[in-house]
Every structure is written in structure tokens, then in C-alpha cells.
Amino acid sequence: MDENAHWIERIAEKVAAEKKPPYVVNSGMTPSGPVHLGTLCEFLYPAAITEFLSRNSKASFSFIADDMDAFDRVPASAAEHAKELEPHLGKPLCRVPDPMGCCKSLGEHFLKDAEGAMEKFEARPKILRASELYAEGKYDKYALLFFERLEEVKRAVYESSLRNELPGWWSPVMPVCRKCGRISTTRVISFDFEDGGVCEYACDRDLKYVKGCGFVGEARIKEHEYKITWRLDWPARQDFLDVSVEGGGMDHFTRGGSRDTAVAIHEKIFGKSPPVGYRFGFVLLKGKKYSKSKGEGMGVADLGELIPPEVLKYALLRPDVQENKDIDTSGEAMLRLCEEYLAASRIKLDGGTGAEGSSAGSHQGERGTDTASAEGGPSGAQPAGSGLSRADRKKAVAFGLSTKKQKFSMFSEILLFYQLYRDWKKVAELSDKKSAEYLKPYIENWVRLQFLPEEYAFEYAPRELRGNAELVHAFAERLEPKMTALDVHNLVFEVARGRGEKPEELFKDIYETLINKPKGPKLGKLIEALGIAKVKSTLLELHKKK
């Protein structure tokens, strides 16, 4: 494997070496709150791996919605319904009523939210609900196996989780209390293998968020009123789905985490090799972990109003998978990200482009403020190289996996044109019509929500020549209508250095003259967008008035 390979290429190679096709890529989530950027990793990564594997072999993607997990906290998004929801704490999510009234359960409500995000981000797995898998009896033989080999299972669990022993109430199975419906407060008192397996249980565990009702009863495995504890549920479903590869967050893949237990169960209890695993880092917002239940972090729906989905996919697929992704949701950072995405579309990969042969075109609009120190001189020179660096390969592969069909080929220019004219017909005439149509709602939201980067928050209102008026006048005299944005940029250097002045000071004086700010969008693009002849005429007229 090339040392510059993208992380998806490395995982695909490992899967091909250790597993046989057809490959099954698996993932899952507990539907306990709205989708946020952290949740996206649970389906974007496996979807991308599936697509990559599918290029050479048959591969499928299954996604488990663990709606049998216990409801342990009212999510921030449903805080207004807390009184309705709190009596259901401790029950399986599939049996908690949806207070919003649109779905049959709270778990289904948040699963629908996730399904909407999957559709938007072009991830289309086969969705499997844990409640249905249990009802179909998929877990029954595993529940019986874990009781048959209870001591071995307990040893595998406590050793892999770095404990000396398990709590006295621990059991492979958590029965659903027949009286109160809770699953988190029950403990198995005894197990009898007769009649297909019968658990005697007591609902008497007291947790921080709920207390057991005290009921004592029986739960038959064949009635499917139970859930296998998470550290055993994970390897069990991987086994009956014949999973080839499955990743997980840092918490699952830390030493002593649930991945270590899953490996131990596969090897010591099932006598099989575990699926290929990969660890992915947290998605952070200004250094803090996202949490769907606590409502921490910008929701995908909110961010989706500001940035195209393919750009978010690119941002999450480009870094190495184990890295934490600290997302900056400022306008400046989002604009940089859009420009990086477009630059990645122009990187040639294996004789094609990052988009599997579909290029964004030759447009080279770069984001940023013009200063003399930016490149040390006139821009435009491109470094030569005989191959892709690892950074560029990561960008090209991430771009190819982030979009099936590129929907826009410029961003900063369209943002600039809209700021200048606030007329989408005019913007379409000056730029790329399809890009303008696609980006219209995003850019309008940037303006409406005051999300604009500082250099794009301006008004064109020249009233007088600022700073070194004679130098600005000299620059204006040499402007020609046929110039490109790059020509205008380079002219600043020529004029300033020709008169022994610093180019950065001339940039500043021109900006302050045109938009009353010391910096703004790329000066060449700004003047080109305004019209070179118009800017020249305006500057010369202002000089006459001095």
C-alpha cells in the first residue's frame, strides 16, 4: 500500500486481505436525540468504505438502530415535553411514546431524523431496528449460548474490560419488566434452560435517573422480552449479520473498551475472527464533544442551512479517521472549507480528477485578503511536483467520495457578487448560473444570519481617496478594462514597488477608498466584479476632487 494512501484505501486493503466477499459493512446508533455532526460519522464513514469496496467486489452496508436501548435522559430538543417523558425513563426507546406525535415512539422519531440526514448526505444503508431483530428471534441463540457458557463469558467480559470481577447483578440478559416496562432496572435472579430458557428477574435496581418498581417475574427467551447487554449484543449482531468491517468511536476502541470485549467474545466464545475494526475520533466544537442528548454542538439541520452537504462530507472524510475533528463553524472557516473543497476537485488522481473524472473546471478563484506578504510577490505561480503528496491524495480521495455529481464550481466569487449587487440575475450573469442557483439559499442564509466572514461584510461606497492618494491615483491610471483579476492583483505590486513604497500599504489604501475597510475580499476579484472601467473612472474622479 502506498504510504500516501487515504485511510479508506488502507481499510479496504485490510478487509480484502482478511475477509471474503461479499463484504458487509456495519454501523449503528442509539436513536436518543437529533442528528449532529458526531452522528454523521456513524453513517458517512461506513457508506464511504462500502462505496470504495464496491468498486472491486460486492459490498453492502447495514445500519442498526438500537431502539431497544434504555431511555436514560430527556434530550435537550424535547425539554418542553419533560413531564410527559420522565415517567418512561428506563424503558426501551421503541416503547417510549413520541410526545411530538409524529411517530410511534421516541426512538422512531429520532431514527426518522437520522434517515433524513442519510438521504441528504447520500448514504443509503439497509436500516435494521434492534426491536425487530429481537422480535424475530435473531438474538435468541446467543442469549442461550451466553448462559450455557456463563463463567467463560463473564471472564471474557471482565478481563477484556480490565476489571477483576463483574458486579453481582450482572447478567448477559436484561429482561423487560412485565409490570413497569423498564429494562434498565431489572436483574436476573436465576436462569432455567427448560422451555427454551426462562429468566427469573427482579426489577429492583436503583439508578441515578430511575428506580426499579420492585416487581419479581419471569421472562422467556422465546417471547423476546429482553435485551442482551451491550458488550455482548455488539458481537452477537456482528456474528448473525456476518459483518466484515465495523468502526466505532474512541470510547469504544480505547483499551478496555467494548471493542476489546467484542474481539474476546468472537475469539473465545464464537471461535471466529472478529470483523476488521477501525477507530474514529470525536467531532468537536471548539474543543468540546458533541452530544445529541445534551444538545451540545450545532445540529446538522442548522449547519445544513449554511453549508452544502457535500462540503461537510469532504470535511469529515479528508482527515485521518482516528483524528479528532474540531469543527469551526465561523463564516471564515466555512468559506475556507468551501474553497478547499473546490481546490480538491482540481487535483488529478490516477490520471483523472478527484471526482472520478468530473472536473470543477479551470476556475482558480482563491479565497482571502490581498496582502503583499501573502506570497511574497505577484500571485499565480504554481509549484511543480512529480506526484501527489499525502495531503493532496487525501483531499482528492475525500472529494471523490463526497459527491456523486458536483453541484457548484465556485463559492467565494458568488458570495462576493451577491454582496455587491444583491440581485441573483446579475450574479448568474457574472458567474456560473448553475452554481449561483444551487448556492442561493446558503448564501442568503449567511447574510440573514449574519454569518458573513468579516472581509465580505462591506458596502461599496467610495467618497475620497484614502492614504497615499497619489499612489492610488497612479494605480488607477494603469488599470485597463481587459485586465484579469490576477493582472489587477499584480499591478498593485508593480505600482508600489516602482515608486519605492510597500505593496501592503497600497492594498490597504485601495480597500479603504473603495469599501472603507483596511481589508476585504481578494482585491483583484473585487475590482473585476465591480467592473475595472467603473473602478478606474471612480478613482480618477475622486482624484480630481482633491
Side-chain angles (χ1 to χ4, degrees), residues 13 84 98 112-113 207 217 240 313 333 340 353 364 399 428 453:
E13 183 183 62
E84 300 170 62
D98 176 16
K112 290 297 182 185
D113 182 49
L207 307 177
F240 68 70
K313 287 175 70 174
E340 182 186 317
T353 68
Q364 295 293 321
F399 177 84

PDB file of all heavy atoms in Angstrom, residues 13 84 98 112-113 207 217 240 313 333 340 353 364 399 428 453:
ATOM      1  N   GLU A  13      -8.014  -2.315   1.913  1.00  0.00           N
ATOM      2  CA  GLU A  13      -6.969  -3.319   1.684  1.00  0.00           C
ATOM      3  C   GLU A  13      -6.974  -4.370   2.792  1.00  0.00           C
ATOM      4  O   GLU A  13      -6.828  -5.573   2.533  1.00  0.00           O
ATOM      5  CB  GLU A  13      -5.596  -2.649   1.619  1.00  0.00           C
ATOM      6  CG  GLU A  13      -4.466  -3.634   1.319  1.00  0.00           C
ATOM      7  CD  GLU A  13      -3.111  -2.981   1.331  1.00  0.00           C
ATOM      8  OE1 GLU A  13      -2.720  -2.464   2.403  1.00  0.00           O
ATOM      9  OE2 GLU A  13      -2.432  -2.980   0.290  1.00  0.00           O
ATOM     10  N   GLU A  84     -43.983  14.701  30.271  1.00  0.00           N
ATOM     11  CA  GLU A  84     -44.569  13.558  29.576  1.00  0.00           C
ATOM     12  C   GLU A  84     -43.576  12.404  29.464  1.00  0.00           C
ATOM     13  O   GLU A  84     -43.963  11.230  29.525  1.00  0.00           O
ATOM     14  CB  GLU A  84     -44.996  13.962  28.159  1.00  0.00           C
ATOM     15  CG  GLU A  84     -46.036  15.069  28.091  1.00  0.00           C
ATOM     16  CD  GLU A  84     -46.199  15.552  26.658  1.00  0.00           C
ATOM     17  OE1 GLU A  84     -46.602  14.732  25.802  1.00  0.00           O
ATOM     18  OE2 GLU A  84     -45.906  16.730  26.391  1.00  0.00           O
ATOM     19  N   ASP A  98     -43.842   9.071  21.484  1.00  0.00           N
ATOM     20  CA  ASP A  98     -43.298  10.269  20.861  1.00  0.00           C
ATOM     21  C   ASP A  98     -44.167  11.459  21.235  1.00  0.00           C
ATOM     22  O   ASP A  98     -45.301  11.589  20.755  1.00  0.00           O
ATOM     23  CB  ASP A  98     -43.271  10.094  19.334  1.00  0.00           C
ATOM     24  CG  ASP A  98     -42.799  11.346  18.613  1.00  0.00           C
ATOM     25  OD1 ASP A  98     -42.221  12.231  19.277  1.00  0.00           O
ATOM     26  OD2 ASP A  98     -43.007  11.435  17.387  1.00  0.00           O
ATOM     27  N   LYS A 112     -36.041   8.668  12.327  1.00  0.00           N
ATOM     28  CA  LYS A 112     -36.500   9.350  11.126  1.00  0.00           C
ATOM     29  C   LYS A 112     -35.626  10.576  10.843  1.00  0.00           C
ATOM     30  O   LYS A 112     -35.337  10.905   9.685  1.00  0.00           O
ATOM     31  CB  LYS A 112     -37.962   9.789  11.272  1.00  0.00           C
ATOM     32  CG  LYS A 112     -38.958   8.628  11.279  1.00  0.00           C
ATOM     33  CD  LYS A 112     -38.943   7.875   9.959  1.00  0.00           C
ATOM     34  CE  LYS A 112     -39.974   6.752   9.959  1.00  0.00           C
ATOM     35  NZ  LYS A 112     -39.874   5.932   8.718  1.00  0.00           N
ATOM     36  N   ASP A 113     -35.205  11.244  11.901  1.00  0.00           N
ATOM     37  CA  ASP A 113     -34.304  12.380  11.763  1.00  0.00           C
ATOM     38  C   ASP A 113     -32.990  11.918  11.135  1.00  0.00           C
ATOM     39  O   ASP A 113     -32.457  12.555  10.214  1.00  0.00           O
ATOM     40  CB  ASP A 113     -34.055  13.005  13.136  1.00  0.00           C
ATOM     41  CG  ASP A 113     -33.165  14.239  13.065  1.00  0.00           C
ATOM     42  OD1 ASP A 113     -33.427  15.116  12.236  1.00  0.00           O
ATOM     43  OD2 ASP A 113     -32.207  14.317  13.858  1.00  0.00           O
ATOM     44  N   LEU A 207     -31.095   3.383  39.861  1.00  0.00           N
ATOM     45  CA  LEU A 207     -30.117   4.131  39.079  1.00  0.00           C
ATOM     46  C   LEU A 207     -30.250   5.622  39.378  1.00  0.00           C
ATOM     47  O   LEU A 207     -31.198   6.049  40.036  1.00  0.00           O
ATOM     48  CB  LEU A 207     -30.346   3.874  37.587  1.00  0.00           C
ATOM     49  CG  LEU A 207     -30.397   2.400  37.167  1.00  0.00           C
ATOM     50  CD1 LEU A 207     -30.709   2.291  35.677  1.00  0.00           C
ATOM     51  CD2 LEU A 207     -29.078   1.697  37.484  1.00  0.00           C
ATOM     52  N   GLY A 217     -40.582 -11.340  38.477  1.00  0.00           N
ATOM     53  CA  GLY A 217     -41.319 -12.107  37.477  1.00  0.00           C
ATOM     54  C   GLY A 217     -40.407 -12.985  36.641  1.00  0.00           C
ATOM     55  O   GLY A 217     -39.231 -13.182  36.968  1.00  0.00           O
ATOM     56  N   PHE A 240     -24.396 -12.657  13.521  1.00  0.00           N
ATOM     57  CA  PHE A 240     -25.513 -13.112  12.683  1.00  0.00           C
ATOM     58  C   PHE A 240     -25.670 -12.281  11.409  1.00  0.00           C
ATOM     59  O   PHE A 240     -26.300 -12.723  10.446  1.00  0.00           O
ATOM     60  CB  PHE A 240     -26.829 -13.221  13.470  1.00  0.00           C
ATOM     61  CG  PHE A 240     -27.466 -11.956  13.958  1.00  0.00           C
ATOM     62  CD1 PHE A 240     -28.049 -11.044  13.102  1.00  0.00           C
ATOM     63  CD2 PHE A 240     -27.542 -11.697  15.336  1.00  0.00           C
ATOM     64  CE1 PHE A 240     -28.682  -9.905  13.566  1.00  0.00           C
ATOM     65  CE2 PHE A 240     -28.178 -10.557  15.812  1.00  0.00           C
ATOM     66  CZ  PHE A 240     -28.744  -9.657  14.926  1.00  0.00           C
ATOM     67  N   LYS A 313     -19.354  16.472   4.082  1.00  0.00           N
ATOM     68  CA  LYS A 313     -18.827  15.121   3.874  1.00  0.00           C
ATOM     69  C   LYS A 313     -17.323  15.179   3.634  1.00  0.00           C
ATOM     70  O   LYS A 313     -16.550  14.405   4.213  1.00  0.00           O
ATOM     71  CB  LYS A 313     -19.520  14.447   2.687  1.00  0.00           C
ATOM     72  CG  LYS A 313     -20.944  14.014   2.956  1.00  0.00           C
ATOM     73  CD  LYS A 313     -21.609  13.466   1.711  1.00  0.00           C
ATOM     74  CE  LYS A 313     -21.033  12.130   1.289  1.00  0.00           C
ATOM     75  NZ  LYS A 313     -21.792  11.542   0.159  1.00  0.00           N
ATOM     76  N   ALA A 333     -14.159  30.185   8.597  1.00  0.00           N
ATOM     77  CA  ALA A 333     -13.723  28.789   8.482  1.00  0.00           C
ATOM     78  C   ALA A 333     -14.547  28.036   7.444  1.00  0.00           C
ATOM     79  O   ALA A 333     -14.020  27.226   6.676  1.00  0.00           O
ATOM     80  CB  ALA A 333     -13.822  28.096   9.835  1.00  0.00           C
ATOM     81  N   GLU A 340     -11.424  25.007  -0.133  1.00  0.00           N
ATOM     82  CA  GLU A 340     -10.574  23.815  -0.140  1.00  0.00           C
ATOM     83  C   GLU A 340     -11.255  22.679  -0.902  1.00  0.00           C
ATOM     84  O   GLU A 340     -10.613  21.938  -1.656  1.00  0.00           O
ATOM     85  CB  GLU A 340     -10.260  23.358   1.283  1.00  0.00           C
ATOM     86  CG  GLU A 340      -9.329  22.144   1.316  1.00  0.00           C
ATOM     87  CD  GLU A 340      -9.115  21.578   2.697  1.00  0.00           C
ATOM     88  OE1 GLU A 340      -8.917  22.366   3.639  1.00  0.00           O
ATOM     89  OE2 GLU A 340      -9.146  20.329   2.840  1.00  0.00           O
ATOM     90  N   THR A 353      -9.552  13.006 -12.054  1.00  0.00           N
ATOM     91  CA  THR A 353      -9.651  14.079 -11.090  1.00  0.00           C
ATOM     92  C   THR A 353     -10.206  13.508  -9.815  1.00  0.00           C
ATOM     93  O   THR A 353     -10.559  12.345  -9.729  1.00  0.00           O
ATOM     94  CB  THR A 353     -10.604  15.195 -11.578  1.00  0.00           C
ATOM     95  OG1 THR A 353     -11.921  14.667 -11.598  1.00  0.00           O
ATOM     96  CG2 THR A 353     -10.220  15.691 -12.941  1.00  0.00           C
ATOM     97  N   GLN A 364      -9.923  29.329 -11.034  1.00  0.00           N
ATOM     98  CA  GLN A 364      -8.909  29.296  -9.985  1.00  0.00           C
ATOM     99  C   GLN A 364      -9.159  30.329  -8.887  1.00  0.00           C
ATOM    100  O   GLN A 364      -8.235  30.820  -8.273  1.00  0.00           O
ATOM    101  CB  GLN A 364      -7.520  29.540 -10.599  1.00  0.00           C
ATOM    102  CG  GLN A 364      -7.071  28.440 -11.545  1.00  0.00           C
ATOM    103  CD  GLN A 364      -6.836  27.130 -10.818  1.00  0.00           C
ATOM    104  OE1 GLN A 364      -6.314  27.113  -9.716  1.00  0.00           O
ATOM    105  NE2 GLN A 364      -7.251  26.034 -11.415  1.00  0.00           N
ATOM    106  N   PHE A 399     -12.698  14.100  -1.834  1.00  0.00           N
ATOM    107  CA  PHE A 399     -13.599  14.773  -2.765  1.00  0.00           C
ATOM    108  C   PHE A 399     -14.373  13.746  -3.590  1.00  0.00           C
ATOM    109  O   PHE A 399     -15.585  13.861  -3.770  1.00  0.00           O
ATOM    110  CB  PHE A 399     -12.825  15.706  -3.698  1.00  0.00           C
ATOM    111  CG  PHE A 399     -13.705  16.356  -4.727  1.00  0.00           C
ATOM    112  CD1 PHE A 399     -14.418  17.500  -4.421  1.00  0.00           C
ATOM    113  CD2 PHE A 399     -13.868  15.790  -5.987  1.00  0.00           C
ATOM    114  CE1 PHE A 399     -15.262  18.085  -5.347  1.00  0.00           C
ATOM    115  CE2 PHE A 399     -14.710  16.368  -6.926  1.00  0.00           C
ATOM    116  CZ  PHE A 399     -15.405  17.512  -6.605  1.00  0.00           C
ATOM    117  N   ALA A 428     -25.846  35.560 -11.585  1.00  0.00           N
ATOM    118  CA  ALA A 428     -25.788  34.475 -12.571  1.00  0.00           C
ATOM    119  C   ALA A 428     -25.088  34.916 -13.846  1.00  0.00           C
ATOM    120  O   ALA A 428     -24.356  34.134 -14.473  1.00  0.00           O
ATOM    121  CB  ALA A 428     -27.191  33.968 -12.881  1.00  0.00           C
ATOM    122  N   PRO A 453     -18.175  36.198   6.640  1.00  0.00           N
ATOM    123  CA  PRO A 453     -16.805  36.481   7.093  1.00  0.00           C
ATOM    124  C   PRO A 453     -16.577  37.985   7.092  1.00  0.00           C
ATOM    125  O   PRO A 453     -17.161  38.726   6.294  1.00  0.00           O
ATOM    126  CB  PRO A 453     -15.935  35.794   6.029  1.00  0.00           C
ATOM    127  CG  PRO A 453     -16.816  34.757   5.414  1.00  0.00           C
ATOM    128  CD  PRO A 453     -18.200  35.342   5.441  1.00  0.00           C
TER     129      PRO A 453
END
